[in-house]
């Protein structure tokens, strides 16, 4: 049995992850420009690519299972490409699979870095929003219910721009 279908599956995975990488780069610019509509469109496209990756990954697992059976091994869905490279006897197949694995791992690392940057940008945006809300409405630590004004407060509370208990 040839590993050609696995190489084609690896190429599909490569293309899908490259598409996600491009979307992540565009998403970074959209996050900086604060374009919510564009961000929603990107998230929808990312969801479609993630589903496609899951489908292609299932194809990869099925092919590896059938390849292992053809070689007399028990199929294992948790086997990695590195493990499969050790089982393959033909040098050119080993080399082709190792090259496909290397290319995919490079794209995955770039994608990981881009997603970490986007995560940090989103986190900073959320912190800014939280800070802005604290300035406008007061600290979230303010009591929501009435308390006796004669009792000493448990600390100095910063009043917001609006009196939320009016």
């Amino acid at each position: 049995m040839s590993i050609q279908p696995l190489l084609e599956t690896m190429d599909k995975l490569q293309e899908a992850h490259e598409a996600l990488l491009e979307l992540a780069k565009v998403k970074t610019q959209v996050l900086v420009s604060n374009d919510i509509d564009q961000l929603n469109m990107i998230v929808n496209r990312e969801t479609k690519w993630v589903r496609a990756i899951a489908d292609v990954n299932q194809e990869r697992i099925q092919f590896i299972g059938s390849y292992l059976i053809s070689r007399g091994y028990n199929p294992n869905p948790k086997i990695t490409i590195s493990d499969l490279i050790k089982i393959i006897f033909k040098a050119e197949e080993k080399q082709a699979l190792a090259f496909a694995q290397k290319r995919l791992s490079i794209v995955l690392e770039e994608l990981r870095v881009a997603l970490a940057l986007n995560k940090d940008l989103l986190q900073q945006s959320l912190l800014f929003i939280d800070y802005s809300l604290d300035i406008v409405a007061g600290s979230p630590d303010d009591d929501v219910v009435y308390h006796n004004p004669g009792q000493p407060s448990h600390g100095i509370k910063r009043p917001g721009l609006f009196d939320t208990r009016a």
Side-chain angles (χ1 to χ4, degrees), residues 28-43:
T28 301
Q29 297 303 319
V30 168
L31 287 170
V32 170
S33 67
N34 201 23
D35 185 359
I36 303 301
D37 294 331
Q38 188 71 17
L39 182 63
N40 284 333
M41 289 175 34
I42 290 172
V43 168

Side-chain angles (χ1 to χ4, degrees), residues 11-116:
D11 286 341
K12 288 179 190 175
L13 282 172
Q14 169 95 17
E15 290 171 13
H17 282 93
E18 285 174 349
L20 271 180
L21 179 61
E22 289 304 314
L23 282 175
K25 290 176 181 177
V26 171
K27 189 178 192 178
T28 301
Q29 297 303 319
V30 168
L31 287 170
V32 170
S33 67
N34 201 23
D35 185 359
I36 303 301
D37 294 331
Q38 188 71 17
L39 182 63
N40 284 333
M41 289 175 34
I42 290 172
V43 168
N44 289 336
R45 282 192 252 154
E46 283 177 335
T47 303
K48 291 175 185 175
W49 279 111
V50 168
R51 284 187 198 130
I53 288 171
D55 293 343
V56 173
N57 199 37
Q58 283 300 323
E59 289 178 27
R60 181 190 63 83
I61 290 171
Q62 289 174 352
F63 174 77
I64 289 175
S66 62
Y67 183 82
L68 289 174
I69 290 172
S70 73
R71 296 290 184 201
Y73 295 100
N74 290 330
N76 182 358
K78 296 183 180 179
I79 193 166
T80 64
I81 297 296
S82 298
D83 296 335
L84 189 62
I85 289 172
K86 295 174 187 173
I87 296 172
I88 296 175
F89 296 121
K90 295 180 183 177
E92 61 272 357
E93 287 182 348
K94 276 187 178 195
Q95 187 178 16
L97 194 55
F99 180 70
Q101 179 190 24
K102 177 94 172 140
R103 282 188 6 224
L104 184 58
S105 65
I106 289 170
V107 171
L108 287 174
E109 181 60 27
E110 290 176 11
L111 183 59
R112 186 191 64 76
V113 170
L115 292 177

Side-chain angles (χ1 to χ4, degrees), residues 120-134:
D120 290 344
L121 288 172
L122 282 171
Q123 188 67 32
Q124 288 176 359
S125 294
L126 290 174
L127 287 173
F128 178 74
I129 290 169
D130 189 44
Y131 175 73
S132 299
L133 286 174
D134 282 351

